[in-house]
Amino acid sequence: MSLAPVPTRADLDRLLDTWRAEHPGRRDGVAVVMTMGALHEGHATLIRTARARVGPAGFVVVTVFVNPLQFGAGEDLDRYPRTLDADLKTAEHAGADAVFAPSADEVYPGGAPQVRITAGPMGGLLEGASRPGHFDGMLTVVAKLLHLTRPDLAFFGQKDAQQLALIRRMARDLNFPVEIVGVPTVREDDGLALSSRNRFLSAAERRTALALSRALFAARDRLGAQHALRARAESAPAPDARAAGLSALGEPRLAADAHAVARAGGQARPCGADAVRAAARTVLGPAARAVPPLTLDYLALVDPADFTEVPDDHTGEAILAVAARVGGTRLIDNIPLTFGAPQ
């Protein structure tokens, strides 16, 4: 039987209470995937991941709610696509048991809430600086939906990396009894990160928008190449002597390669964060002059713990994040990187 939307908390409570009565004592069986609708393959991947985690006997709730608190003045609340009938089919095919699609009155009885979750210092950086109040509104609705759906696990995409980090921090700081699970970004065949907003791009705008993922991949490749060069330097026997010998034999190209390996061996660290940023900017620069142009909001290489910029000598995990506008559509993307280890 096809899924029908669950419009109220009372309806959802009945479903959840029935499931829990049939599975007494189970503490890892209810999963939630929160969305604003306009479901695509990225959302379907989240739902399938949730289903795989809780198993065939678990209960997977998908929420569909366009949260007005997340949209600032001049943003695309009214333009945001509403496709509930198609969303129900997508959710069902991906393995959802229920689609909780409440009205604004159901989520915010009496109007916009006076008491809200505050995102703290991390909430004022990057996306928070570009969209003041966005993360406060996001965390407020996530907190409410966690109360309403009562899950054991909640699944969120890593494409919204700062959002995921803030939700994890909120759950930890406020002792929510839920495990927050991040799911890798799903991309289209051309590399563009899946987003409900991609449908707004014209063919020409989409070609320009591909610079976002190309910039991230170029940065990743630069880091990988530098790590590989460092590994060669550490394993190569006497690269300085080899370079000199090749030069004497009239092999300038091989000698130059050996010199590069020797220089890498003399470095104090395998790779600099500034070089990674530069590799991304090399791709984004021409996109800013394309027709139509890409208008960069930010490119940031940040610590995943607090989303502050990492120094050039950073080691360990980092996230390279980018946001830009193409035409009337704002897009974000990111990629995780590890400094000091092979990519």
Side-chain angles (χ1 to χ4, degrees):
M1 186 175 70
S2 297
L3 283 182
V6 179
T8 70
R9 176 181 185 172
D11 295 327
L12 183 62
D13 281 345
R14 281 192 288 272
L15 292 173
L16 291 170
D17 289 345
T18 298
W19 185 90
R20 292 197 183 278
E22 294 172 350
H23 301 82
R26 183 169 176 180
R27 300 301 181 192
D28 63 348
V30 176
V32 66
V33 175
M34 297 184 191
T35 83
M36 293 205 298
L39 302 189
H40 49 63
E41 180 57 26
H43 298 111
T45 299
L46 290 172
I47 298 166
R48 287 194 293 267
T49 303
R51 170 54 64 199
R53 177 69 182 272
V54 302
F59 195 87
V60 177
V61 182
V62 175
T63 69
V64 173
F65 179 66
V66 182
N67 178 32
L69 299 189
Q70 289 176 231
F71 292 81
E75 292 189 336
D76 54 357
L77 173 61
D78 293 335
R79 188 181 178 220
Y80 199 88
R82 275 82 164 171
T83 57
L84 182 57
D85 289 343
D87 294 344
L88 291 167
K89 294 177 182 178
T90 299
E92 181 177 25
H93 291 160
D97 294 293
V99 174
F100 182 46
S103 66
D105 289 339
E106 185 73 18
V107 177
Y108 302 121
Q114 295 185 29
V115 177
R116 307 185 185 195
I117 302 292
T118 299
M122 194 196 314
L125 304 174
L126 300 185
E127 284 299 291
S130 298
R131 306 175 65 190
H134 166 72
F135 284 129
D136 291 356
M138 178 276 295
L139 290 177
T140 298
V141 81
V142 168
K144 288 182 73 73
L145 289 172
L146 287 174
H147 287 309
L148 293 171
T149 58
R150 296 179 282 154
D152 304 303
L153 309 111
F155 292 77
F156 297 90
Q158 292 177 358
K159 184 180 83 72
D160 298 294
Q162 192 174 3
Q163 169 180 285
L164 174 59
L166 281 163
I167 291 170
R168 282 178 166 152
R169 186 61 187 254
M170 178 185 72
R172 182 170 69 250
D173 286 354
L174 301 184
N175 299 107
F176 278 83
V178 61
E179 179 183 346
I180 305 300
V181 182
V183 179
T185 300
V186 179
R187 299 184 179 277
E188 301 195 41
D189 291 341
D190 57 10
L192 191 67
L194 279 171
S195 168
S196 301
R197 292 183 170 93
N198 289 354
R199 68 187 67 197
F200 298 137
L201 297 169
S202 69
E205 289 169 344
R206 186 185 179 91
R207 286 193 294 272
T208 296
L210 291 176
L212 295 178
S213 56
R214 288 203 307 268
L216 298 179
F217 299 155
R220 179 192 61 192
D221 293 345
R222 175 68 178 274
L223 180 58
Q226 290 187 327
H227 280 311
L229 185 61
R230 175 70 176 186
R232 286 180 60 197
E234 292 174 345
S235 62
D240 279 313
R242 181 173 182 270
L246 287 167
S247 182
L249 290 172
E251 295 286 351
R253 295 181 67 180
L254 291 175
D257 178 70
H259 277 300
V261 172
R263 287 195 299 272
Q267 292 175 351
R269 52 182 168 73
C271 181
D274 289 346
V276 170
R277 295 182 181 96
R281 290 192 182 280
T282 298
V283 176
L284 294 172
R289 301 185 291 273
V291 180
L294 181 146
T295 302
L296 184 65
D297 189 346
Y298 61 76
L299 173 72
L301 184 61
V302 300
D303 187 323
D306 58 12
F307 272 68
T308 57
E309 286 276 358
V310 301
D312 188 41
D313 60 354
H314 177 73
T315 58
E317 302 299 316
I319 293 174
L320 183 62
V322 64
R325 188 172 294 276
V326 182
T329 303
R330 188 174 184 277
L331 300 170
I332 64 172
D333 201 351
N334 71 83
I335 192 169
L337 300 172
T338 304
F339 287 77
Q343 298 298 298

